[in-house]
Amino acid sequence: DAKTTQPPSMDCAEGRAANLPCNHSTISGNEYVYWYRQIHSQGPQYIIHGLKNNETNEMASLIITEDRKSSTLILPHATLRDTAVYYCIVKRGGYNKLIFGAGTRLAVHP
Amino acid sequence: EPEVTQTPSHQVTQMGQEVILRCVPISNHLYFYWYRQILGQKVEFLVSFYNNEISEKSEIFDDQFSVERPDGSNFTLKIRSTKLEDSAMYFCASSWTSQETQYFGPGTRLLVL
């Protein structure tokens, strides 16, 4: 599975958009980009995933560059409850495991 | 919304004792997983299970560990003789297929004394 690189920490003001970047320059054509988050020591929570098109759901938007070497997770209106560690994971379709890195610790402040 | 559940939420045990961690995956899911997270460290894959067989395991998943689906709803992780270093959060996850999204349970915090 391709390795991902994320900034270790980010800050965001409540109500503003949080844009979390992820580099995955060695991604292969059949690998998906997944985003999860972990609040405190709770179980990782699925946010969104994509292959090459941009995706949006009720939680977030995922923007994948045309060359697929990087992506950005966008939380459009961050709240204090969005404070968490966000993981960008590249996963090959048909393979089982998710490989978690250190993620980005997002702090949303009033 | 269906969710993965895990019991117990906390477990304290003595070194050398056996523990069984329980999970109820989402009902129509076919693939089941265990991950663990030692305090302050990354979430690590342990094992995946499909069709009553282990489909993949990590080097952490040694002979002290075993998994089982004893009935149509439960999925268990057994640690035969616990060590201090087994203290961690253990997360169960499930997915419909190996290509679909994995959904995680809330975890069991295991403390080995």
Side-chain angles (χ1 to χ4, degrees), chain A:
Chain A
D1 294 322
K3 185 174 161 52
T4 62
T5 305
Q6 299 178 253
S9 63
M10 292 183 66
D11 285 320
C12 180
E14 192 177 17
R16 305 297 292 266
N19 297 287
L20 292 92
C22 179
N23 284 322
H24 30 79
S25 58
T26 60
I27 194 169
S28 303
N30 62 349
E31 289 181 319
Y32 289 76
V33 180
Y34 277 81
W35 284 85
Y36 283 80
R37 72 181 182 183
Q38 190 175 27
I39 298 171
H40 268 292
S41 296
Q42 296 176 24
Q45 179 189 21
Y46 166 75
I47 301 172
I48 199 167
H49 75 283
L51 184 62
K52 51 186 177 181
N53 297 322
N54 297 337
E55 303 287 340
T56 295
N57 63 21
E58 64 278 2
M59 287 183 70
S61 294
L62 174 60
I63 309 297
I64 303 175
T65 57
E66 199 168 330
D67 63 8
R68 303 212 318 126
K69 294 185 182 209
S70 66
S71 60
T72 301
L73 178 75
I74 301 172
L75 307 178
H77 305 287
T79 71
L80 299 179
R81 285 176 295 182
D82 292 321
T83 293
V85 179
Y86 287 77
Y87 300 102
C88 168
I89 299 169
V90 169
K91 179 180 176 295
R92 203 177 307 173
Y95 280 68
N96 293 310
K97 62 187 176 190
L98 295 171
I99 300 175
F100 287 80
T104 295
R105 186 171 296 277
L106 175 69
V108 181
H109 51 85

